[in-house]
Amino acid sequence: MTTRPLLAAQQGDTPRNPLLRGQGLTLDELPIRDELRGEQPYGAPQLDVPVALNVNENPYPPSERVVAEIAAAVADAARTLNRYPDRDAVALRADLASYLTADGGVGLGVDNVWAANGSNEVMQHVLLAFGGPGRTALSFAPTYSMYPEYARDTHTAWVAGRRAEDFSIDRATALAAIEEHRPSVILLASPNNPTGTALPLADIAAILDAAPGMVVVDEAYAEFRRAGTPSALTLLAQYPRLIVTRTMSKAFALAGGRLGYLAAAPAVVDALRIVRLPYHLSAVSQAVARVALANADELLAAVQQLRAERDRTVEWLRAVGLRSAESDANFVLFGTFANRHAVWQGLLERGVLIRETGPDGWLRVSIGTPQEMAAFQAALVEVMR
């Protein structure tokens, strides 16, 4: 039924279905916002390869026991899908508060926590509430490539300062940028993506002391940080304009569950509740996340193994003559290459997909299983010959 009009349109005939007469319309012919013209949708390549090490996923799926618990929870939720979910996800937020209290050693309650569909939506809520026309967001590159898109989509001006040569944030440079731009929102990734760099609490505190607005510390990879690296959660009581964001996509192996969250002062959470869409977090999402939190010990059991594999990868990369950034995440930035795309392509031709991101000459590899990392190393040796 639909094939013939499509073929007719391809052959230049007038489609019978009037809805298909605009098939040849280009994006530039639409009344799209000017700042969106020429832009491309965000996303890493999604390719069917034997070894996918490009999007920082946890390579270890939930056990069959946890899968069964998730299935049972989804079945329970399905019995009431004719009703809207709890629009404020109170039970889930209470569970998240308990988890963060144990992880960060700071007492948090349900009023301190907000949750949404991945940390991307959490960040969007933050920019909707505290950014906007006439306001500025500041970060320090290289860092997560979605930050300027959050700013663009919320009509917030974007300023990117520079990180130091070792990918740390120079405190004097940061304070000068804050003084110059007076940002409403400062975005600090720690550990930073794509470099893996964690920020000292003293640097975060200095930025908080100087910031005229909100400071977001993005801890998407916090569970992978090395021993002795503290979380910014410990600063929450002292700084009411601090927001610490987390995700269940990485350490919890729940990337497909799309659950991000943050910890902040209750007034901050109230501000986010104003800008969130009604019932933004489905009953199914809430149920799945609660099961994952109830099984945190099991789901996080692979974290230590991934840390060890990360450290071995850093040592190996340096042993073969490459540079590798210190990492507190589940990925490693390495280089440098005169033609990094050729290296990326060579790995892909050998069945290994990594990420072409970061500063010129650098590549990023996610940490996979020992077998996947062995395949990566073997392929990279071949490519560099």
Side-chain angles (χ1 to χ4, degrees), residues 29-106:
E29 293 175 287
L30 295 173
I32 193 171
R33 287 163 38 194
D34 288 342
E35 65 270 27
L36 298 181
R37 294 188 184 280
E39 294 287 342
Q40 297 293 322
Y42 171 85
Q46 291 184 303
L47 305 175
D48 185 13
V49 295
V51 180
L53 301 172
N54 67 322
V55 288
N56 303 338
E57 296 162 325
N58 187 324
Y60 299 102
S63 69
E64 288 303 312
R65 183 188 63 79
V66 175
V67 168
E69 289 190 21
I70 289 174
V74 170
D76 284 343
R79 294 185 178 95
T80 57
L81 285 182
N82 59 310
R83 304 295 184 184
Y84 285 113
D86 176 1
R87 63 174 170 262
D88 291 322
V90 173
L92 170 60
R93 288 162 57 205
D95 290 349
L96 288 166
S98 296
Y99 168 72
L100 288 177
T101 295
D103 183 64
V106 179

Side-chain angles (χ1 to χ4, degrees), residues 22-342:
Q23 288 288 333
L25 193 67
T26 68
L27 187 62
D28 286 339
E29 293 175 287
L30 295 173
I32 193 171
R33 287 163 38 194
D34 288 342
E35 65 270 27
L36 298 181
R37 294 188 184 280
E39 294 287 342
Q40 297 293 322
Y42 171 85
Q46 291 184 303
L47 305 175
D48 185 13
V49 295
V51 180
L53 301 172
N54 67 322
V55 288
N56 303 338
E57 296 162 325
N58 187 324
Y60 299 102
S63 69
E64 288 303 312
R65 183 188 63 79
V66 175
V67 168
E69 289 190 21
I70 289 174
V74 170
D76 284 343
R79 294 185 178 95
T80 57
L81 285 182
N82 59 310
R83 304 295 184 184
Y84 285 113
D86 176 1
R87 63 174 170 262
D88 291 322
V90 173
L92 170 60
R93 288 162 57 205
D95 290 349
L96 288 166
S98 296
Y99 168 72
L100 288 177
T101 295
D103 183 64
V106 179
L108 297 171
V110 63
D111 292 341
N112 296 108
V113 176
W114 185 241
N117 290 283
S119 57
N120 303 109
E121 188 179 38
V122 169
M123 288 288 193
Q124 184 185 56
H125 287 171
V126 170
L127 268 293
L128 284 170
F130 300 108
R135 297 188 171 200
T136 298
L138 169 69
S139 192
F140 300 92
T143 193
Y144 186 34
S145 56
M146 273 298 296
Y147 291 161
E149 298 198 20
Y150 301 142
R152 178 201 67 196
D153 294 347
T154 58
H155 300 276
T156 307
W158 173 250
V159 174
R162 297 301 303 175
R163 287 177 174 254
E165 194 68 25
D166 63 355
F167 304 126
S168 64
I169 292 179
D170 179 75
R171 192 183 302 185
T173 300
L175 297 182
I178 293 169
E179 179 62 28
E180 177 183 358
H181 299 288
R182 310 303 293 167
S184 299
V185 180
I186 299 174
L187 299 169
L188 305 173
S190 181
N192 183 48
N193 182 9
T195 67
T197 315
L199 296 175
L201 288 188
D203 289 348
I204 296 173
I207 290 171
L208 281 159
D209 288 334
M214 307 301 297
V215 175
V216 181
V217 179
D218 181 354
E219 292 191 343
Y221 301 93
E223 286 87 354
F224 297 101
R225 65 192 189 275
R226 290 170 290 182
T229 303
S231 166
L233 291 169
T234 58
L235 298 174
L236 280 171
Q238 186 179 350
Y239 293 100
R241 291 188 176 185
L242 169 64
I243 298 171
V244 181
T245 63
R246 293 281 188 97
T247 182
M248 296 185 74
S249 294
K250 311 302 182 182
F252 275 89
L254 205 69
R258 307 307 302 131
L259 200 293
Y261 57 104
L262 62 73
V268 175
V269 174
D270 287 343
L272 302 181
R273 290 173 61 236
I274 294 172
V275 299
R276 63 101 169 94
L277 294 173
Y279 311 109
H280 70 289
L281 203 53
S282 77
V284 171
S285 296
Q286 294 181 44
V288 170
R290 294 194 69 196
V291 172
L293 287 163
N295 289 278
D297 288 346
E298 178 178 326
L299 291 174
L300 296 176
V303 167
Q304 184 55 43
Q305 182 176 351
L306 290 167
R307 285 174 178 157
E309 193 67 46
R310 171 199 64 204
D311 294 342
R312 283 192 292 269
T313 300
V314 169
E315 292 175 2
W316 181 84
L317 288 165
R318 291 173 177 172
V320 298
L322 295 170
R323 295 173 63 189
S324 179
E326 296 288 350
S327 178
D328 279 277
N330 67 332
F331 55 83
V332 175
L333 189 73
F334 67 99
T336 56
F337 302 100
N339 186 347
R340 71 172 180 181
H341 181 72

